[in-house]
Amino acid sequence: MIHYINLRVIAHSTEDLSRVRGALDFFLRNATGMSDDDVTDELVEVTDIEGHYGNPSVMLSSQISRKSDSVRLARFIRENMSPGDVEILRSEMPDRLDDDQLFHMRFDKQAAFQGKLVLSSSSDAITVKVKIATYPKNRLQAGLIVEELFG
């Protein structure tokens, strides 16, 4: 059903890295069942990058590959979105599912830091890509799985 889930967020030079990390940890802790005291360092890859105007930034990324963690994160997302955000996802599902069967979502990183899930259309957000597994590869079947998970 879900092959893996990728999460990525960029901490710009004007942002507090620990707060951006906290926003990402909000997703990771709910995916893995870790408590707020558990350290997620082994789950996060940290990469120094250069921003649009040459400003130093940090990209934080993680891949959730265990089936139980992937399903737990998908359920967490679905159960904690507002009815309005669910409706947006439902109406945009065909556009959010690409030919590689990746389902794309973005979430507001300030809201995530505060423990809330809010869909975002901003490029400065936590990106979540859910890789849907169908054998053989079938976009229609993947769409049905996405609808079951998030619709």
Side-chain angles (χ1 to χ4, degrees):
M1 187 188 255
I2 298 175
H3 189 58
Y4 60 81
I5 300 177
N6 279 337
L7 299 110
R8 188 185 76 191
V9 64
I10 295 175
H12 299 281
S13 59
T14 57
E15 295 177 305
D16 182 343
L17 179 60
S18 66
R19 291 176 64 98
V20 176
R21 176 61 187 264
L24 180 62
D25 284 350
F26 172 64
F27 286 89
L28 295 175
R29 287 194 172 105
N30 284 290
T32 60
M34 294 176 141
S35 74
D36 289 345
D37 298 328
D38 292 328
V39 178
T40 60
D41 289 346
E42 69 280 355
L43 301 174
V44 178
E45 182 179 331
V46 179
T47 308
D48 292 325
I49 60 174
E50 188 173 297
H52 185 68
Y53 296 104
N55 298 332
S57 297
V58 176
M59 182 172 59
L60 306 171
S61 58
S62 183
Q63 181 167 300
I64 307 296
S65 300
R66 285 185 46 206
K67 183 177 179 175
S68 60
D69 292 345
S70 296
V71 170
R72 186 182 297 126
L73 181 57
R75 271 198 203 115
F76 168 76
I77 289 171
R78 173 59 181 91
E79 292 170 359
N80 288 281
M81 284 193 307
S82 72
D85 282 350
V86 170
E87 187 55 40
I88 289 170
L89 266 189
R90 186 176 290 132
S91 68
E92 296 177 353
M93 270 187 202
D95 297 327
R96 291 176 177 267
L97 183 63
D98 68 20
D99 291 337
D100 292 325
Q101 297 187 176
L102 281 168
F103 185 66
H104 300 262
M105 297 177 283
R106 292 181 186 162
F107 293 95
D108 183 281
K109 57 185 172 183
Q110 280 85 17
F113 178 74
Q114 296 171 351
K116 300 174 193 163
L117 279 179
V118 177
L119 272 181
S120 176
S121 59
S122 170
S123 61
D124 187 26
I126 298 171
T127 61
V128 177
K129 297 178 185 179
V130 182
K131 175 67 172 176
I132 304 299
T134 61
Y135 302 101
K137 187 175 173 181
N138 182 322
R139 191 172 191 280
L140 180 61
Q141 184 64 32
L144 294 172
I145 292 170
V146 166
E147 191 171 327
E148 181 182 324
L149 288 169
F150 301 106

mmCIF file with all atom_site columns, all heavy atoms in Angstrom, residues 22-40:
data_model
loop_
_atom_site.group_PDB
_atom_site.id
_atom_site.type_symbol
_atom_site.label_atom_id
_atom_site.label_alt_id
_atom_site.label_comp_id
_atom_site.label_asym_id
_atom_site.label_entity_id
_atom_site.label_seq_id
_atom_site.pdbx_PDB_ins_code
_atom_site.Cartn_x
_atom_site.Cartn_y
_atom_site.Cartn_z
_atom_site.occupancy
_atom_site.B_iso_or_equiv
_atom_site.pdbx_formal_charge
_atom_site.auth_seq_id
_atom_site.auth_comp_id
_atom_site.auth_asym_id
_atom_site.auth_atom_id
_atom_site.pdbx_PDB_model_num
ATOM 1   N N   . GLY A 1 22 ? 11.892 20.995 15.346 1.00 0.00 ? 22 GLY A N   1
ATOM 2   C CA  . GLY A 1 22 ? 10.737 20.632 16.163 1.00 0.00 ? 22 GLY A CA  1
ATOM 3   C C   . GLY A 1 22 ? 9.495  20.370 15.316 1.00 0.00 ? 22 GLY A C   1
ATOM 4   O O   . GLY A 1 22 ? 8.704  19.466 15.606 1.00 0.00 ? 22 GLY A O   1
ATOM 5   N N   . ALA A 1 23 ? 9.326  21.162 14.254 1.00 0.00 ? 23 ALA A N   1
ATOM 6   C CA  . ALA A 1 23 ? 8.191  20.959 13.351 1.00 0.00 ? 23 ALA A CA  1
ATOM 7   C C   . ALA A 1 23 ? 8.305  19.614 12.639 1.00 0.00 ? 23 ALA A C   1
ATOM 8   O O   . ALA A 1 23 ? 7.318  18.874 12.521 1.00 0.00 ? 23 ALA A O   1
ATOM 9   C CB  . ALA A 1 23 ? 8.117  22.104 12.343 1.00 0.00 ? 23 ALA A CB  1
ATOM 10  N N   . LEU A 1 24 ? 9.502  19.265 12.187 1.00 0.00 ? 24 LEU A N   1
ATOM 11  C CA  . LEU A 1 24 ? 9.707  17.969 11.538 1.00 0.00 ? 24 LEU A CA  1
ATOM 12  C C   . LEU A 1 24 ? 9.529  16.833 12.544 1.00 0.00 ? 24 LEU A C   1
ATOM 13  O O   . LEU A 1 24 ? 8.902  15.811 12.236 1.00 0.00 ? 24 LEU A O   1
ATOM 14  C CB  . LEU A 1 24 ? 11.101 17.904 10.900 1.00 0.00 ? 24 LEU A CB  1
ATOM 15  C CG  . LEU A 1 24 ? 11.453 16.603 10.184 1.00 0.00 ? 24 LEU A CG  1
ATOM 16  C CD1 . LEU A 1 24 ? 10.515 16.340 9.011  1.00 0.00 ? 24 LEU A CD1 1
ATOM 17  C CD2 . LEU A 1 24 ? 12.900 16.647 9.700  1.00 0.00 ? 24 LEU A CD2 1
ATOM 18  N N   . ASP A 1 25 ? 10.051 17.019 13.741 1.00 0.00 ? 25 ASP A N   1
ATOM 19  C CA  . ASP A 1 25 ? 9.918  16.002 14.790 1.00 0.00 ? 25 ASP A CA  1
ATOM 20  C C   . ASP A 1 25 ? 8.453  15.725 15.129 1.00 0.00 ? 25 ASP A C   1
ATOM 21  O O   . ASP A 1 25 ? 8.099  14.604 15.510 1.00 0.00 ? 25 ASP A O   1
ATOM 22  C CB  . ASP A 1 25 ? 10.676 16.414 16.053 1.00 0.00 ? 25 ASP A CB  1
ATOM 23  C CG  . ASP A 1 25 ? 12.173 16.238 15.917 1.00 0.00 ? 25 ASP A CG  1
ATOM 24  O OD1 . ASP A 1 25 ? 12.628 15.617 14.933 1.00 0.00 ? 25 ASP A OD1 1
ATOM 25  O OD2 . ASP A 1 25 ? 12.898 16.735 16.809 1.00 0.00 ? 25 ASP A OD2 1
ATOM 26  N N   . PHE A 1 26 ? 7.591  16.723 14.995 1.00 0.00 ? 26 PHE A N   1
ATOM 27  C CA  . PHE A 1 26 ? 6.152  16.536 15.217 1.00 0.00 ? 26 PHE A CA  1
ATOM 28  C C   . PHE A 1 26 ? 5.631  15.397 14.330 1.00 0.00 ? 26 PHE A C   1
ATOM 29  O O   . PHE A 1 26 ? 4.886  14.533 14.779 1.00 0.00 ? 26 PHE A O   1
ATOM 30  C CB  . PHE A 1 26 ? 5.429  17.852 14.908 1.00 0.00 ? 26 PHE A CB  1
ATOM 31  C CG  . PHE A 1 26 ? 3.936  17.780 14.912 1.00 0.00 ? 26 PHE A CG  1
ATOM 32  C CD1 . PHE A 1 26 ? 3.241  17.474 16.075 1.00 0.00 ? 26 PHE A CD1 1
ATOM 33  C CD2 . PHE A 1 26 ? 3.217  18.038 13.758 1.00 0.00 ? 26 PHE A CD2 1
ATOM 34  C CE1 . PHE A 1 26 ? 1.851  17.426 16.074 1.00 0.00 ? 26 PHE A CE1 1
ATOM 35  C CE2 . PHE A 1 26 ? 1.834  17.993 13.754 1.00 0.00 ? 26 PHE A CE2 1
ATOM 36  C CZ  . PHE A 1 26 ? 1.150  17.689 14.908 1.00 0.00 ? 26 PHE A CZ  1
ATOM 37  N N   . PHE A 1 27 ? 6.059  15.362 13.081 1.00 0.00 ? 27 PHE A N   1
ATOM 38  C CA  . PHE A 1 27 ? 5.651  14.287 12.173 1.00 0.00 ? 27 PHE A CA  1
ATOM 39  C C   . PHE A 1 27 ? 6.344  12.973 12.536 1.00 0.00 ? 27 PHE A C   1
ATOM 40  O O   . PHE A 1 27 ? 5.711  11.922 12.574 1.00 0.00 ? 27 PHE A O   1
ATOM 41  C CB  . PHE A 1 27 ? 5.984  14.652 10.718 1.00 0.00 ? 27 PHE A CB  1
ATOM 42  C CG  . PHE A 1 27 ? 5.062  15.681 10.134 1.00 0.00 ? 27 PHE A CG  1
ATOM 43  C CD1 . PHE A 1 27 ? 5.340  17.029 10.265 1.00 0.00 ? 27 PHE A CD1 1
ATOM 44  C CD2 . PHE A 1 27 ? 3.928  15.302 9.441  1.00 0.00 ? 27 PHE A CD2 1
ATOM 45  C CE1 . PHE A 1 27 ? 4.497  17.981 9.722  1.00 0.00 ? 27 PHE A CE1 1
ATOM 46  C CE2 . PHE A 1 27 ? 3.083  16.245 8.891  1.00 0.00 ? 27 PHE A CE2 1
ATOM 47  C CZ  . PHE A 1 27 ? 3.357  17.597 9.036  1.00 0.00 ? 27 PHE A CZ  1
ATOM 48  N N   . LEU A 1 28 ? 7.657  13.037 12.777 1.00 0.00 ? 28 LEU A N   1
ATOM 49  C CA  . LEU A 1 28 ? 8.422  11.822 13.031 1.00 0.00 ? 28 LEU A CA  1
ATOM 50  C C   . LEU A 1 28 ? 7.981  11.110 14.303 1.00 0.00 ? 28 LEU A C   1
ATOM 51  O O   . LEU A 1 28 ? 7.885  9.884  14.333 1.00 0.00 ? 28 LEU A O   1
ATOM 52  C CB  . LEU A 1 28 ? 9.914  12.134 13.094 1.00 0.00 ? 28 LEU A CB  1
ATOM 53  C CG  . LEU A 1 28 ? 10.536 12.637 11.793 1.00 0.00 ? 28 LEU A CG  1
ATOM 54  C CD1 . LEU A 1 28 ? 11.985 13.033 12.023 1.00 0.00 ? 28 LEU A CD1 1
ATOM 55  C CD2 . LEU A 1 28 ? 10.411 11.596 10.697 1.00 0.00 ? 28 LEU A CD2 1
ATOM 56  N N   . ARG A 1 29 ? 7.721  11.853 15.339 1.00 0.00 ? 29 ARG A N   1
ATOM 57  C CA  . ARG A 1 29 ? 7.303  11.229 16.603 1.00 0.00 ? 29 ARG A CA  1
ATOM 58  C C   . ARG A 1 29 ? 5.943  10.562 16.457 1.00 0.00 ? 29 ARG A C   1
ATOM 59  O O   . ARG A 1 29 ? 5.696  9.512  17.040 1.00 0.00 ? 29 ARG A O   1
ATOM 60  C CB  . ARG A 1 29 ? 7.291  12.259 17.717 1.00 0.00 ? 29 ARG A CB  1
ATOM 61  C CG  . ARG A 1 29 ? 8.696  12.634 18.142 1.00 0.00 ? 29 ARG A CG  1
ATOM 62  C CD  . ARG A 1 29 ? 8.728  13.382 19.453 1.00 0.00 ? 29 ARG A CD  1
ATOM 63  N NE  . ARG A 1 29 ? 10.106 13.527 19.879 1.00 0.00 ? 29 ARG A NE  1
ATOM 64  C CZ  . ARG A 1 29 ? 10.787 14.668 19.795 1.00 0.00 ? 29 ARG A CZ  1
ATOM 65  N NH1 . ARG A 1 29 ? 10.213 15.751 19.320 1.00 0.00 ? 29 ARG A NH1 1
ATOM 66  N NH2 . ARG A 1 29 ? 12.037 14.718 20.199 1.00 0.00 ? 29 ARG A NH2 1
ATOM 67  N N   . ASN A 1 30 ? 5.061  11.165 15.663 1.00 0.00 ? 30 ASN A N   1
ATOM 68  C CA  . ASN A 1 30 ? 3.748  10.557 15.456 1.00 0.00 ? 30 ASN A CA  1
ATOM 69  C C   . ASN A 1 30 ? 3.821  9.376  14.499 1.00 0.00 ? 30 ASN A C   1
ATOM 70  O O   . ASN A 1 30 ? 2.969  8.497  14.536 1.00 0.00 ? 30 ASN A O   1
ATOM 71  C CB  . ASN A 1 30 ? 2.747  11.606 14.979 1.00 0.00 ? 30 ASN A CB  1
ATOM 72  C CG  . ASN A 1 30 ? 2.301  12.480 16.127 1.00 0.00 ? 30 ASN A CG  1
ATOM 73  O OD1 . ASN A 1 30 ? 1.592  12.029 17.005 1.00 0.00 ? 30 ASN A OD1 1
ATOM 74  N ND2 . ASN A 1 30 ? 2.772  13.715 16.156 1.00 0.00 ? 30 ASN A ND2 1
ATOM 75  N N   . ALA A 1 31 ? 4.836  9.329  13.644 1.00 0.00 ? 31 ALA A N   1
ATOM 76  C CA  . ALA A 1 31 ? 5.005  8.189  12.740 1.00 0.00 ? 31 ALA A CA  1
ATOM 77  C C   . ALA A 1 31 ? 5.581  6.990  13.472 1.00 0.00 ? 31 ALA A C   1
ATOM 78  O O   . ALA A 1 31 ? 5.215  5.853  13.192 1.00 0.00 ? 31 ALA A O   1
ATOM 79  C CB  . ALA A 1 31 ? 5.930  8.564  11.581 1.00 0.00 ? 31 ALA A CB  1
ATOM 80  N N   . THR A 1 32 ? 6.488  7.243  14.380 1.00 0.00 ? 32 THR A N   1
ATOM 81  C CA  . THR A 1 32 ? 7.227  6.156  15.022 1.00 0.00 ? 32 THR A CA  1
ATOM 82  C C   . THR A 1 32 ? 6.711  5.808  16.411 1.00 0.00 ? 32 THR A C   1
ATOM 83  O O   . THR A 1 32 ? 7.158  4.826  16.990 1.00 0.00 ? 32 THR A O   1
ATOM 84  C CB  . THR A 1 32 ? 8.716  6.523  15.137 1.00 0.00 ? 32 THR A CB  1
ATOM 85  O OG1 . THR A 1 32 ? 8.830  7.719  15.927 1.00 0.00 ? 32 THR A OG1 1
ATOM 86  C CG2 . THR A 1 32 ? 9.330  6.752  13.760 1.00 0.00 ? 32 THR A CG2 1
ATOM 87  N N   . GLY A 1 33 ? 5.817  6.619  16.943 1.00 0.00 ? 33 GLY A N   1
ATOM 88  C CA  . GLY A 1 33 ? 5.315  6.361  18.287 1.00 0.00 ? 33 GLY A CA  1
ATOM 89  C C   . GLY A 1 33 ? 6.283  6.781  19.377 1.00 0.00 ? 33 GLY A C   1
ATOM 90  O O   . GLY A 1 33 ? 6.118  6.400  20.532 1.00 0.00 ? 33 GLY A O   1
ATOM 91  N N   . MET A 1 34 ? 7.304  7.569  19.018 1.00 0.00 ? 34 MET A N   1
ATOM 92  C CA  . MET A 1 34 ? 8.269  8.049  20.010 1.00 0.00 ? 34 MET A CA  1
ATOM 93  C C   . MET A 1 34 ? 7.610  9.089  20.911 1.00 0.00 ? 34 MET A C   1
ATOM 94  O O   . MET A 1 34 ? 6.696  9.792  20.498 1.00 0.00 ? 34 MET A O   1
ATOM 95  C CB  . MET A 1 34 ? 9.465  8.722  19.323 1.00 0.00 ? 34 MET A CB  1
ATOM 96  C CG  . MET A 1 34 ? 10.313 7.807  18.501 1.00 0.00 ? 34 MET A CG  1
ATOM 97  S SD  . MET A 1 34 ? 11.606 8.785  17.682 1.00 0.00 ? 34 MET A SD  1
ATOM 98  C CE  . MET A 1 34 ? 12.972 7.683  17.802 1.00 0.00 ? 34 MET A CE  1
ATOM 99  N N   . SER A 1 35 ? 8.123  9.203  22.122 1.00 0.00 ? 35 SER A N   1
ATOM 100 C CA  . SER A 1 35 ? 7.627  10.232 23.028 1.00 0.00 ? 35 SER A CA  1
ATOM 101 C C   . SER A 1 35 ? 8.361  11.543 22.741 1.00 0.00 ? 35 SER A C   1
ATOM 102 O O   . SER A 1 35 ? 9.337  11.578 21.997 1.00 0.00 ? 35 SER A O   1
ATOM 103 C CB  . SER A 1 35 ? 7.862  9.812  24.481 1.00 0.00 ? 35 SER A CB  1
ATOM 104 O OG  . SER A 1 35 ? 9.233  9.930  24.808 1.00 0.00 ? 35 SER A OG  1
ATOM 105 N N   . ASP A 1 36 ? 7.884  12.614 23.343 1.00 0.00 ? 36 ASP A N   1
ATOM 106 C CA  . ASP A 1 36 ? 8.515  13.922 23.156 1.00 0.00 ? 36 ASP A CA  1
ATOM 107 C C   . ASP A 1 36 ? 9.935  13.967 23.682 1.00 0.00 ? 36 ASP A C   1
ATOM 108 O O   . ASP A 1 36 ? 10.719 14.819 23.292 1.00 0.00 ? 36 ASP A O   1
ATOM 109 C CB  . ASP A 1 36 ? 7.687  15.017 23.842 1.00 0.00 ? 36 ASP A CB  1
ATOM 110 C CG  . ASP A 1 36 ? 6.388  15.283 23.113 1.00 0.00 ? 36 ASP A CG  1
ATOM 111 O OD1 . ASP A 1 36 ? 6.240  14.848 21.948 1.00 0.00 ? 36 ASP A OD1 1
ATOM 112 O OD2 . ASP A 1 36 ? 5.502  15.934 23.708 1.00 0.00 ? 36 ASP A OD2 1
ATOM 113 N N   . ASP A 1 37 ? 10.278 13.033 24.580 1.00 0.00 ? 37 ASP A N   1
ATOM 114 C CA  . ASP A 1 37 ? 11.630 13.004 25.147 1.00 0.00 ? 37 ASP A CA  1
ATOM 115 C C   . ASP A 1 37 ? 12.612 12.213 24.297 1.00 0.00 ? 37 ASP A C   1
ATOM 116 O O   . ASP A 1 37 ? 13.817 12.316 24.484 1.00 0.00 ? 37 ASP A O   1
ATOM 117 C CB  . ASP A 1 37 ? 11.592 12.400 26.555 1.00 0.00 ? 37 ASP A CB  1
ATOM 118 C CG  . ASP A 1 37 ? 10.748 13.232 27.508 1.00 0.00 ? 37 ASP A CG  1
ATOM 119 O OD1 . ASP A 1 37 ? 10.713 14.469 27.335 1.00 0.00 ? 37 ASP A OD1 1
ATOM 120 O OD2 . ASP A 1 37 ? 10.122 12.644 28.408 1.00 0.00 ? 37 ASP A OD2 1
ATOM 121 N N   . ASP A 1 38 ? 12.098 11.397 23.363 1.00 0.00 ? 38 ASP A N   1
ATOM 122 C CA  . ASP A 1 38 ? 12.968 10.588 22.521 1.00 0.00 ? 38 ASP A CA  1
ATOM 123 C C   . ASP A 1 38 ? 13.687 11.453 21.497 1.00 0.00 ? 38 ASP A C   1
ATOM 124 O O   . ASP A 1 38 ? 13.146 12.437 20.996 1.00 0.00 ? 38 ASP A O   1
ATOM 125 C CB  . ASP A 1 38 ? 12.170 9.499  21.796 1.00 0.00 ? 38 ASP A CB  1
ATOM 126 C CG  . ASP A 1 38 ? 11.640 8.446  22.759 1.00 0.00 ? 38 ASP A CG  1
ATOM 127 O OD1 . ASP A 1 38 ? 12.306 8.181  23.774 1.00 0.00 ? 38 ASP A OD1 1
ATOM 128 O OD2 . ASP A 1 38 ? 10.561 7.898  22.482 1.00 0.00 ? 38 ASP A OD2 1
ATOM 129 N N   . VAL A 1 39 ? 14.902 11.066 21.169 1.00 0.00 ? 39 VAL A N   1
ATOM 130 C CA  . VAL A 1 39 ? 15.720 11.800 20.202 1.00 0.00 ? 39 VAL A CA  1
ATOM 131 C C   . VAL A 1 39 ? 15.516 11.178 18.818 1.00 0.00 ? 39 VAL A C   1
ATOM 132 O O   . VAL A 1 39 ? 15.599 9.965  18.656 1.00 0.00 ? 39 VAL A O   1
ATOM 133 C CB  . VAL A 1 39 ? 17.211 11.751 20.609 1.00 0.00 ? 39 VAL A CB  1
ATOM 134 C CG1 . VAL A 1 39 ? 18.075 12.459 19.590 1.00 0.00 ? 39 VAL A CG1 1
ATOM 135 C CG2 . VAL A 1 39 ? 17.400 12.365 21.988 1.00 0.00 ? 39 VAL A CG2 1
ATOM 136 N N   . THR A 1 40 ? 15.271 12.025 17.823 1.00 0.00 ? 40 THR A N   1
ATOM 137 C CA  . THR A 1 40 ? 15.012 11.546 16.459 1.00 0.00 ? 40 THR A CA  1
ATOM 138 C C   . THR A 1 40 ? 16.222 11.707 15.545 1.00 0.00 ? 40 THR A C   1
ATOM 139 O O   . THR A 1 40 ? 16.097 11.593 14.334 1.00 0.00 ? 40 THR A O   1
ATOM 140 C CB  . THR A 1 40 ? 13.821 12.304 15.848 1.00 0.00 ? 40 THR A CB  1
ATOM 141 O OG1 . THR A 1 40 ? 14.136 13.703 15.815 1.00 0.00 ? 40 THR A OG1 1
ATOM 142 C CG2 . THR A 1 40 ? 12.538 12.070 16.630 1.00 0.00 ? 40 THR A CG2 1
#
